[in-house]
Amino acid sequence: MLLYHRILPRLLTLTLTLPSRPASQLLLRPSRFPPRRPLLPRSAALCQFADPQTVVDHSDAEHLEDHSDAEEPENQFDAEEPLGDVQVKLPLDRLFLPPGAKVTPGDEEGVTARVLKGSNIVLGTYARGDAQVVNADFVKSSVRPDDCPKDGRPEFALVGRSNVGKSSLLNSLVRRKKLALTSKKPGKTQCINHFIINDSWYLVDLPGYGYASAPQEARKDWDEFTRNYFLSRDNLVSVFLLIDASIPAKKIDLDYASWLGQNKVPMTLVFTKCDKRKKKKNGGKRPEENVEAFQSLIREYFEAAPPWIMTSSVTNQGRDEILLHMSQLRNYWRKH
Ligand code: GDP
């Protein structure tokens, strides 16, 4: 940690994606929670970094369905601009080091070479060849955390506002067009839905939040239900909180992120719809600007930067990177 702080002032140039802009028009309610410690998954020591296995194929779009987004009519946008990598300078203290990893002096370049594309996540030794999904099957829907599978396999929970692109991302991760439809069937949308991956770990689809039409009482129940799950599930390696990067930050998402942070629930921010690069008129922002704004707004809740990653279920951007991130968290979790 000491070494880490010593090299903080040196800014690192990363082939990443963020211009920095203030998020002046976005407001976050003052915290109801006390300041918290750094959020790290069960961590100990990872002393070396492995060679990155970050060859990413974004060409395969076999799962593509209609991605027209009813919330945002096309005529609100300027002409589309080309998608490309944007240079950004990220300081070392905004990178997410794999659990237990440390940076040795002189290794800053090595660290930057191991940052997963479109993210702040450094790849470590625990990312293995087991990252890709070979098999995926629906296991069960649970109405209470106590009903969830009890075999102790590690799991990652996907959660986000309704319409954020959770089902599309799940389908993209497992390369199946319709696996997530299972959780959209009547009676299952408000359940904890477990999918077993490669017979060894779980992806968990949690109820979406922020349904405008849901009665207040029902919303309260779902909140309590998922919060209990977060706080009681021992084999939860990380929550993947999905945030729509094509629109400015929403208060409900900021509240969710800060709640997870304050309660020390390991969290990865997954920014969705990053292919939507048409800039809205009247002060609209690009995905990378929304990503930056969101992080500025939650920074006060985290001493250490939480991992984040930009994704698109249309182009499959971020899919392989998420799987590598999950792989290294999972493999570390298993050993500790
Ligand atoms: P869920 O309610 O969170 O499960 O969201 P869905 O996966 O059903 O997606 C909601 C809407 O957003 C649908 O119209 C999708 O086609 C669209 N969508 C989802 N992911 C993306 C994405 O990565 N890019 C774009 N452009 N649209 C997306």
Side-chain angles (χ1 to χ4, degrees), residues 140-150 192 194 225 233:
K140 72 178 293 198
S141 292
S142 310
V143 290
R144 295 178 313 158
D146 282 354
D147 298 334
C148 292
K150 294 186 174 55
I192 301 171
H194 274 77
F225 171 74
R233 196 73 181 148

Side-chain angles (χ1 to χ4, degrees), residues 244-280:
D244 187 339
S246 69
I247 53 171
K250 297 256 188 203
K251 184 176 172 302
I252 193 168
D253 292 331
L254 296 164
D255 284 349
Y256 219 101
S258 65
W259 186 89
L260 290 170
Q262 301 299 332
N263 286 278
K264 301 183 177 65
V265 180
M267 175 191 75
T268 299
L269 290 170
V270 178
F271 293 99
T272 61
K273 308 189 187 180
C274 292
D275 59 284
K276 294 181 84 170
R277 303 189 58 77
K278 293 175 185 171
K279 193 168 174 168
K280 267 188 187 174

Side-chain angles (χ1 to χ4, degrees), residues 18-197:
L18 293 181
S20 51
R21 285 245 188 119
S24 47
Q25 83 272 41
L26 300 168
L27 295 172
L28 180 60
R29 195 174 55 193
S31 173
R32 290 171 277 137
F33 306 105
R36 61 181 302 281
R37 291 203 308 272
L39 194 162
L40 289 174
R42 298 147 202 215
S43 58
L46 280 178
C47 332
Q48 292 181 331
F49 294 103
D51 285 330
Q53 309 280 315
T54 54
V55 183
V56 176
D57 173 14
H58 291 158
S59 61
D60 142 35
E62 80 279 7
H63 67 288
L64 271 192
E65 289 170 311
D66 177 17
H67 284 278
S68 57
D69 191 331
E71 281 184 346
E72 298 177 349
E74 284 299 294
N75 62 12
Q76 288 186 13
F77 296 97
D78 290 330
E80 181 143 17
E81 293 186 18
L83 177 71
D85 288 340
V86 182
Q87 286 291 341
V88 71
K89 289 179 180 170
L90 266 192
L92 195 54
D93 66 338
R94 288 182 57 189
L95 294 181
F96 173 78
L97 296 174
K102 58 188 178 190
V103 178
T104 50
D107 191 31
E108 294 89 337
E109 274 187 29
V111 173
T112 60
R114 290 171 173 81
V115 175
L116 290 171
K117 193 176 170 192
S119 83
N120 71 336
I121 300 168
V122 177
L123 199 64
T125 47
Y126 282 76
R128 303 269 162 74
D130 65 354
Q132 285 298 329
V133 174
V134 181
N135 299 307
D137 283 305
F138 173 70
V139 177
K140 72 178 293 198
S141 292
S142 310
V143 290
R144 295 178 313 158
D146 282 354
D147 298 334
C148 292
K150 294 186 174 55
D151 53 24
R153 289 180 168 111
E155 66 191 34
F156 301 93
L158 306 182
V159 69
R161 230 164 12 90
S162 70
N163 213 40
V164 70
K166 185 158 55 73
S167 310
S168 306
L169 183 76
L170 203 153
N171 289 334
S172 165
L173 290 174
V174 302
R175 297 178 191 245
R176 292 259 296 273
K177 280 187 181 174
K178 292 186 176 164
L179 190 68
L181 270 185
T182 318
S183 344
K184 290 210 163 186
K185 285 186 182 153
K188 297 198 171 167
T189 52
Q190 295 313 320
C191 293
I192 301 171
N193 294 303
H194 274 77
F195 297 87
I196 183 96
I197 310 297

